[in-house]
């Protein structure tokens, strides 16, 4: 039975806030928040074709490499979640580790990135719904996401999904949590079943993963760097357990563990999905694996009936992932607005006493994400541009936490030991101890490297047909515009709040 923290809950008073969100989430709900943001079924099905088309079978090895790097970042975040259990985790952590201004930019980049992620994940329905039933192809006849009709249909399906998730994010956090828990359970069961079926229907040995195939024409290093886009896109969002801290019971103890377990579970299952898809594909050279991805493998290798049933489970995963990511973005908006750091802060920080949900952020995130989907009508290449943009921004925001954290460690002003305090059960807080400095340093280096790798304007990836230079440079341009818009807002607010100069006659 869920419980709701009473209005006089004082667990946030040390940070200068009062309890407004309903504290009703348990350990599994906290785990579900992180796991459903990652959503291996959604993102592996969505981006498998991208990784394979540029990396060939060898792109599998980018998965454990990215997972190792993200575990370093997650370990740092787990320490911070124990010490700062506040909504708007990235914004709050960065502000407290550096300066409020630097933290604001981290939060601003993160929330814009999250809104883009919501749009990108909603597009994943196109990878599974038309293969499930042709009637879901509402626009045109070609369901391929890279075709004009497929791209347009993806936008239509995505807007419908966003309308539903926005409604859930307005209703009640217990309804949202219940849907999340049920969806994550279904996703885990479905993912494990898919892994077992794929591995038992293998057409080749695991040794094939040491080959680049046709993708190797550009060289092994290029194949790995570009193929890593799949793993980089999938293994993000584990910080969502920290985003939901103000709604979690015992967050100092719960959030650090669920951040690590959500990433670890998703990393293991996702890696096996990628491996199983490569091994069970009917052909590695007919081109379908590089266009239709795992949907092609399921329906071709496992039979139409079983394949469609499993695709239905993937549809559930896509819906729950969109809901979870939208919820995380809402909490970031709420946290920044509560500090008066956004336009219309009063409306965005208002929480319904009945539902415990901030309604304004849900409407803003849903509307902006739906607007981004309209880019898909302009060009099928928008899908990849949107996808890589959002993950590059999240990686950059993560580095804006691990960077100040490392500076504090080097200066000796951040301890990160078990003596920092105790959690709600009276046990020492999660801490990396003497491993903190090397883990933190490696986490920052990895994050900066992947940010550059993701944003690098590869023409073969972002502008394969040529003639659309703005898609090739979309990630770089979007980040620059985001930072510039944030700077303009802060300058305008500062000039408005500064008192007018008083001229005194001599």
């Amino acid at each position: 039975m869920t419980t709701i923290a009473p209005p006089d809950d004082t667990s946030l008073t040390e940070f200068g806030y009062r309890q407004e969100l309903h504290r009703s989430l348990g350990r599994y709900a906290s785990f579900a928040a992180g796991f459903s943001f990652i959503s291996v079924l959604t993102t592996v099905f969505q981006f498998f074709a991208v990784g394979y088309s540029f990396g060939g079978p060898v792109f599998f090895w980018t998965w454990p490499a990215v997972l190792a790097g993200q575990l370093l970042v997650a370990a740092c975040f787990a320490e911070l979640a124990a010490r700062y259990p506040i909504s708007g985790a990235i914004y709050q952590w960065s502000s407290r580790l550096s300066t409020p201004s630097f933290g604001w930019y981290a939060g601003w980049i993160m929330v814009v990135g999250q809104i883009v992620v919501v749009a990108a994940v909603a597009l994943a329905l196109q990878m599974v719904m038309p293969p499930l039933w042709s009637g879901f192809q509402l626009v045109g006849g070609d369901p391929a996401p890279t075709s004009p009709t497929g791209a347009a249909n993806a936008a239509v399906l995505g807007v419908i999904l966003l309308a539903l998730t926005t409604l859930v994010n307005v209703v009640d956090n217990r309804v949202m949590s219940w849907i999340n828990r049920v969806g994550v359970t279904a996703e885990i069961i479905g993912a494990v079943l898919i892994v077992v079926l794929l591995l038992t229907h293998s057409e080749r040995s695991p040794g094939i993963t040491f080959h680049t195939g046709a993708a190797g024409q550009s060289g092994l290093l290029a194949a790995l760097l570009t193929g890593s886009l799949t793993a980089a896109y999938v293994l993000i969002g584990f910080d969502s357990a920290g985003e939901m801290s103000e709604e979690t019971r015992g967050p100092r103890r719960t959030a650090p563990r669920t951040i690590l377990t959500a990433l670890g579970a998703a990393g293991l299952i996702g890696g096996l999905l990628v491996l199983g898809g490569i091994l069970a594909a009917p052909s590695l050279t007919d081109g379908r694996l590089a266009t239709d991805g795992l949907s092609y493998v399921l329906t071709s290798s496992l039979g139409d009936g079983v394949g469609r049933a499993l695709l239905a489970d993937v549809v559930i995963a896509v819906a729950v992932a969109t809901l979870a990511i939208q919820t995380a973005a809402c909490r970031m908006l709420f946290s920044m607005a509560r500090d008066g750091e956004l336009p219309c802060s009063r409306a965005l920080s208002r929480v319904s006493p009945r539902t415990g949900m901030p309604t304004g952020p849900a409407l803003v995130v849903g509307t902006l994400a739906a607007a981004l989907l309209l880019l898909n009508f302009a060009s099928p290449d928008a899908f990849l541009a949107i996808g890589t943009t959002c993950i590059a921004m999240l990686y950059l925001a993560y580095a804006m936490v691990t960077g100040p954290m490392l500076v504090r460690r080097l200066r000796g002003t951040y301890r990160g030991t078990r003596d920092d305090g105790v959690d709600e059960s009276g046990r020492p807080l999660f801490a990396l101890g003497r491993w903190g400095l090397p883990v933190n340093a490696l986490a920052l280096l990895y994050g900066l490297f992947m940010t550059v790798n993701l944003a690098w304007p590869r023409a073969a990836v972002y502008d394969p047909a040529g003639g659309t230079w703005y898609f090739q440079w979309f990630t770089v341009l979007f980040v620059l515009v985001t930072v510039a818009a944030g700077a303009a807002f802060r300058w305008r607010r500062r000039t408005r709040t500064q008192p007018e100069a008083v001229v005194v006659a001599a």
Side-chain angles (χ1 to χ4, degrees), residues 3-268:
T3 59
I4 297 176
D8 60 348
D9 188 330
T10 59
S11 55
L12 290 174
T13 53
E14 66 175 289
F15 303 111
Y17 304 117
R18 62 188 179 90
Q19 186 70 44
E20 294 182 278
L21 305 176
H22 291 178
R23 198 177 288 281
S24 60
L25 308 184
R27 181 176 299 178
Y28 188 68
S30 177
F31 166 82
F35 190 90
S36 56
F37 193 124
I38 300 171
S39 188
V40 287
L41 280 187
T42 300
T43 46
V44 170
F45 269 79
Q46 188 177 20
F47 263 72
F48 181 95
V50 174
Y52 187 83
S53 63
F54 290 104
V58 77
F59 101 95
F60 164 76
W61 294 105
T62 64
W63 190 276
V66 171
L67 176 59
Q70 290 295 67
L71 282 172
L72 295 171
V73 178
C76 295
F77 286 3
E79 266 198 349
L80 294 171
R83 288 154 182 79
Y84 307 108
I86 320 172
S87 290
I90 299 299
Y91 158 67
Q92 295 285 354
W93 297 342
S94 184
S95 297
R96 284 166 168 74
L97 291 169
S98 55
T99 65
S101 179
F102 187 85
W104 186 91
Y105 278 103
W108 174 249
I109 291 171
M110 183 69 181
V111 74
V112 174
Q114 286 174 327
I115 292 172
V116 182
V117 175
V118 175
V121 171
L123 290 174
L125 284 180
Q126 184 63 23
M127 298 294 295
V128 287
M129 292 190 75
L132 181 63
W133 177 49
S134 59
F136 289 125
Q137 184 63 32
L138 306 174
V139 180
D142 187 355
T146 54
S147 69
T149 56
N153 195 69
V156 172
L157 294 177
V159 169
I160 295 173
L161 176 58
L162 285 171
L164 295 174
T165 57
T166 300
L167 177 63
V168 173
N169 259 309
V170 169
V171 175
D172 194 299
N173 77 333
R174 287 171 293 183
V175 175
M176 178 272 298
S177 175
W178 180 83
I179 293 175
N180 235 6
R181 295 196 307 271
V182 172
V184 164
T185 302
E187 179 174 3
I188 292 174
I189 293 173
V192 171
L193 182 59
I194 291 173
V195 167
V196 171
L197 289 173
L198 289 177
L199 293 179
T200 54
H201 286 74
S202 296
E203 297 285 341
R204 54 195 64 84
S205 69
I208 193 66
T209 59
F210 291 98
H211 299 274
T212 58
Q217 295 176 355
S218 57
L220 178 60
L221 180 60
L224 290 174
L225 290 176
T226 311
S228 67
L229 298 181
T230 296
Y233 181 81
V234 177
L235 299 174
I236 56 172
F238 44 85
D239 54 295
S240 292
E243 294 282 5
M244 304 299 290
S245 287
E246 290 184 31
E247 295 156 88
T248 303
R249 298 191 296 273
R252 292 182 186 273
R253 177 167 177 78
T254 300
R257 288 159 177 77
T258 51
I259 285 174
L260 292 169
T261 54
L263 177 59
L268 175 61

Side-chain angles (χ1 to χ4, degrees), residues 215-502:
Q217 295 176 355
S218 57
L220 178 60
L221 180 60
L224 290 174
L225 290 176
T226 311
S228 67
L229 298 181
T230 296
Y233 181 81
V234 177
L235 299 174
I236 56 172
F238 44 85
D239 54 295
S240 292
E243 294 282 5
M244 304 299 290
S245 287
E246 290 184 31
E247 295 156 88
T248 303
R249 298 191 296 273
R252 292 182 186 273
R253 177 167 177 78
T254 300
R257 288 159 177 77
T258 51
I259 285 174
L260 292 169
T261 54
L263 177 59
L268 175 61
I269 295 173
L272 291 174
L273 276 172
V274 171
L275 178 62
I278 294 172
L279 299 186
S283 172
L284 299 181
T285 57
D286 64 359
R288 293 197 61 187
L289 201 58
T291 56
D292 300 331
L294 283 184
S295 298
Y296 153 68
V297 180
L298 284 189
T299 54
S300 300
S301 300
L302 304 181
D304 195 57
V306 175
R308 288 176 186 271
L310 294 174
L311 284 177
D313 189 64
V314 179
V315 172
I316 296 174
V318 174
V320 173
T322 304
L323 173 63
I325 299 166
Q326 185 177 9
T327 302
C330 290
R331 298 307 177 269
M332 180 68 74
L333 274 177
F334 163 74
S335 183
M336 296 181 71
R338 180 173 55 183
D339 289 348
E341 295 289 350
L342 291 175
C344 305
S345 285
R346 181 173 299 180
L348 291 174
S349 61
R350 188 174 297 121
V351 177
S352 168
R354 182 180 61 84
T355 65
M357 301 285 273
T359 303
L363 297 175
V364 169
V365 174
T367 301
L368 292 178
L372 279 172
L373 291 181
L374 299 180
L375 286 173
N376 244 37
F377 284 98
S379 171
D381 294 332
F383 162 72
L384 195 54
I386 291 173
T388 51
T389 295
C390 64
I391 50 178
M393 293 186 72
L394 265 61
Y395 270 81
L396 178 58
Y398 287 175
M400 294 178 75
V401 174
T402 55
M405 190 180 191
L406 179 60
V407 172
R408 291 278 298 273
R409 287 187 193 276
L410 293 173
R411 290 178 176 175
T413 55
Y414 177 86
R415 296 177 62 193
T417 67
R418 292 171 65 85
D419 299 328
D420 288 348
V422 296
D423 59 28
E424 295 82 4
S425 64
R427 299 179 182 178
L429 297 177
F430 176 88
L432 295 174
R434 59 192 178 93
W435 292 101
L437 183 59
V439 167
N440 195 164
L442 290 173
L444 176 60
L445 290 174
Y446 160 79
L448 294 175
F449 172 79
M450 284 302 296
T451 301
V452 173
N453 181 40
L454 292 165
W456 198 263
R458 300 178 177 91
V461 178
Y462 305 122
D463 187 24
T468 51
W469 63 269
Y470 44 87
F471 278 132
Q472 180 180 344
W473 290 87
F474 188 86
T475 299
V476 176
L477 293 173
F478 197 93
V479 172
L480 292 176
V481 169
T482 299
V483 174
F489 164 72
R490 290 182 65 81
W491 175 82
R492 185 179 181 185
R493 189 183 66 169
R494 186 168 57 251
T495 56
R496 281 187 171 185
T497 54
Q498 287 178 346
E500 295 183 3
V502 178

